Amino acid sequence: MIPVPLLVCVMAAWCAVYLADTLLRTSVTHRISYESWLASRGLMLSPFHLRWQTTMFNRLFAYCARINPRALYLWFNSGLVFGIVAMLGSVVLLVKTLQQTLAQMTTDNPRMGGQQTLQVVVPGVNLPTSQLVYFFSALLLSGVIHELGHAVAALREQVRVNGFGMFVFVVYPGAFVDLFTTHLNLISPTQQLRIFCAGVWHNFVLCVAALAFLFLLPILLFPVYYTGAGALVTEVVQI
């Protein structure tokens, strides 16, 4: 269950931020300077949502889009193929999850609840609060890598990137890129697919790299880290 103190702190923090924002926006003395300050820093604030956008990374994106054009062409074409396959696979997973959910609704078997193919991660419910920092850090990192893929793919297809940004919605962090819609609508469907699939393709590569790093840790940290010696807990029996 979600800890009540954590929920109260989050709600209180957002209420304080929104109250301060409302007071400053309605203030005759500070309204213009406050709105200018927000605009100059690319900040946008609404209830339970804080967004920041900047153009400082545009040169980095442009540099990445010029590195080895042939390799990038093959890279993003691989992402296009992966994106299509992953989309079909996700449809299968969603259908299977729906079938399992319907089966749970029509049965009294308590074990059916833990057999779903997909599980929604809810902090404090099925994710311990002690793991929140790792969870949100992983979300933010995957979001940045995801949007980096979109930005580089867009520039490679001659679509202008207006800016990159990050946001916080309630407690969930994320990232985004702002693409010039007119350019995006003028390119071919295949080029659009390369851009759209680039994000999930980079997330997949990040996942593979993280798993490879995890399994290679005993080698990378040898002799400080080693396995197969001492006591090892293989199972915990609940009483």
Side-chain angles (χ1 to χ4, degrees):
M1 188 173 180
I2 300 177
V4 175
L6 177 62
L7 184 61
V8 170
C9 289
V10 170
M11 294 298 295
W14 276 112
C15 288
V17 169
Y18 188 63
L19 177 61
D21 178 69
T22 302
L23 292 175
L24 288 170
R25 288 184 185 275
T26 55
S27 171
V28 178
T29 308
H30 302 95
R31 181 176 64 85
I32 296 178
S33 59
Y34 173 66
E35 292 180 348
S36 299
W37 182 82
L38 288 177
S40 64
R41 285 159 178 77
L43 293 171
M44 292 182 62
L45 186 62
S46 59
F48 303 105
H49 183 251
L50 176 64
R51 179 175 125 158
W52 169 71
Q53 183 173 339
T54 182
T55 58
M56 70 172 62
F57 299 107
N58 285 12
R59 289 187 178 182
L60 175 63
F61 297 150
Y63 172 77
C64 294
R66 293 193 299 266
I67 298 175
N68 200 333
R70 178 62 181 173
L72 285 179
Y73 175 78
L74 296 175
W75 176 259
F76 287 115
N77 273 339
S78 300
L80 188 153
V81 174
F82 173 80
I84 294 174
V85 173
M87 180 182 64
L88 297 175
S90 64
V91 171
V92 174
L93 284 176
L94 289 173
V95 170
K96 187 173 181 181
T97 303
L98 177 61
Q99 292 175 340
Q100 292 171 341
T101 302
L102 293 175
Q104 291 177 26
M105 296 171 63
T106 57
T107 184
D108 297 328
N109 187 357
R111 295 184 178 181
M112 291 293 293
Q115 297 178 357
Q116 278 196 335
T117 304
L118 297 178
Q119 292 281 351
V120 177
V121 177
V122 181
V125 177
N126 54 6
L127 178 71
T129 53
S130 60
Q131 304 295 319
L132 290 182
V133 174
Y134 306 111
F135 175 66
F136 291 136
S137 299
L139 274 183
L140 184 59
L141 176 62
S142 62
V144 170
I145 296 298
H146 181 100
E147 299 304 329
L148 172 65
H150 286 312
V152 175
L155 288 171
R156 191 196 162 277
E157 302 296 344
Q158 307 302 315
V159 175
R160 190 177 77 193
V161 175
N162 295 327
F164 165 85
M166 291 185 284
F167 65 88
V168 176
F169 179 69
V170 187
V171 294
Y172 285 91
F176 65 92
V177 287
D178 181 17
L179 303 181
F180 191 52
T181 309
T182 302
H183 289 175
L184 190 62
N185 292 333
L186 290 175
I187 61 178
S188 67
T190 301
Q191 291 175 299
Q192 292 179 2
L193 275 176
R194 288 198 194 101
I195 297 173
F196 297 150
C197 295
V200 67
W201 169 239
H202 279 72
N203 283 145
F204 172 74
V205 173
L206 176 65
C207 181
V208 172
L211 287 174
F213 180 75
L214 176 64
F215 288 117
L216 289 175
L217 270 180
I219 298 175
L220 297 174
L221 299 180
F222 182 82
V224 179
Y225 178 91
Y226 59 92
T227 59
L232 176 66
V233 178
T234 60
E235 185 179 3
V236 177
V237 179
Q238 295 183 355
I239 301 177

